[in-house]
Amino acid sequence: MTLLITLDALQTLDAIERRQSFAAAAEELHRVPSAVSYTINKLEEDLGVELFDRSRRKAELTAIGRLVLEQGRQILTAAQELTALARQAADGWEVKLRICIESVLSCDAIYDLIEQFQRIQPKTEIRLSEEVLSGSWDALIDGRCDLVIGAEGMPPAPGYATHPLGQVLFEFAVAADHPLTHLPTPLATSAIQDHPTVIVADSSQRLPTRSAGLLDGRSRIYVPTIEHKIAAQCKGLGVGYLPHHRITQQLAQGQLVVLPLDAARPPVDISVAWQRSNNGKGLKWFVERLQRMQFDPEQGQLVEKNLEPF
């Protein structure tokens, strides 16, 4: 299909409107005035419309000319952005970098890193997503993300690299007025059988789903994220394990109470994970900085190893 409106014609139209004359536009475009006039005359002929009102001493855009110019400037901007993205990709920087955060963490943990990255590479689009349990590995294997922060366990398939971040501590927590608070501790597992367990649903789409810290309660309430789980347990809807760093405020305010169990849940190892064959500069930048960090289970933050939190 032959395009009647070319980028060259749009650039010429834009220059004329900005410089307010054909001669000044020709000077900016390093052309002779006759070449500028020819380009506009050809565009008008191809479109079958008048872009300029030549009945006056000074040529002015017609209503249609104004429409073509306004929409054309959007096309010129898009073309410039596409050119920049192509050059960026050729230089090894990703056009888009997708980072998955495991639900047990919060996005707050990497906002500072993203801010630092934007200072050196503002053109790369960052997309954050949240996954639960096997969903993190599933997103990486399925190509829905480039980097996972907080992945649990080992890669379920070859071809993936990991770097340990540390451990997440879990506490069995219930609402302050929950009936279990009146029983002696440590609680036996059988003591919770009459109370619903709140569970964050595994977000995996392809890999087998799993549940972490599943308790043998009589019924189960499935929620989509850790935030929903915390809210449900604060309301006394059910019980379950929660990441210690995510409930410090609720504990301090008396909304939740930690109750020891006779069989405590061990800490969970978390890591950074990415595909070995991914050579993007943005991914490499994040991995290199995350390798200098560790997860502080008390603060819930990524901190420089042996240094103060950033």
Side-chain angles (χ1 to χ4, degrees), residues 57-73:
R57 181 177 180 181
K58 181 181 179 181
E60 295 183 0
L61 285 169
T62 62
I64 296 177
R66 178 65 58 183
L67 172 66
V68 172
L69 175 63
E70 291 176 352
Q71 297 299 316
R73 281 176 171 166

Side-chain angles (χ1 to χ4, degrees), residues 14-32:
D14 172 67
I16 294 171
E17 196 278 336
R18 285 187 294 99
R19 300 298 298 272
Q20 293 296 299
S21 79
F22 279 58
E27 180 182 357
E28 177 181 312
L29 297 171
H30 305 291
R31 301 176 185 176
V32 296

Side-chain angles (χ1 to χ4, degrees), residues 130-298:
E130 182 178 6
E131 298 286 350
V132 181
L133 297 173
S134 298
S136 297
W137 285 114
D138 184 84
L140 189 59
I141 292 173
D142 201 33
R144 301 196 306 275
C145 75
D146 305 297
L147 176 68
V148 173
I149 300 177
E152 297 183 17
M154 299 299 294
Y160 297 91
T162 62
H163 174 75
L165 285 176
Q167 294 185 323
V168 176
L169 306 179
F170 285 84
E171 308 273 17
F172 180 75
V174 301
D177 58 353
H178 196 278
L180 287 177
T181 61
H182 302 298
L183 299 180
T185 57
L187 294 174
T189 303
S190 59
I192 67 170
Q193 291 180 351
D194 292 333
H195 304 282
T197 300
V198 182
I199 302 169
V200 182
D202 193 311
S203 62
S204 177
Q205 298 180 19
R206 299 178 184 274
L207 294 176
T209 60
R210 62 190 179 90
S211 294
L214 185 62
L215 299 168
D216 294 326
R218 185 177 60 183
S219 62
R220 299 171 186 174
I221 301 173
Y222 283 90
V223 295
T225 66
I226 289 291
E227 286 188 3
H228 286 83
K229 178 175 167 65
I230 294 171
Q233 292 185 212
C234 283
K235 290 182 178 294
L237 300 180
V239 301
Y241 284 102
L242 290 168
H244 172 79
H245 68 277
R246 297 290 295 270
I247 59 172
T248 54
Q249 182 177 353
Q250 290 80 2
L251 293 174
Q253 295 176 348
Q255 295 175 279
L256 290 174
V257 175
V258 171
L259 298 178
L261 295 184
D262 57 2
R265 181 182 176 184
V268 173
D269 293 318
I270 60 172
S271 61
V272 181
W274 66 97
Q275 192 174 37
R276 290 185 185 276
S277 60
N278 189 332
N279 296 315
K281 287 185 176 180
L283 174 66
K284 181 180 178 181
W285 186 94
F286 274 96
V287 169
E288 287 178 348
R289 276 146 188 83
L290 287 166
Q291 287 175 334
R292 305 172 196 164
M293 296 180 168
Q294 61 188 13
F295 178 73
D296 185 321
E298 292 294 330

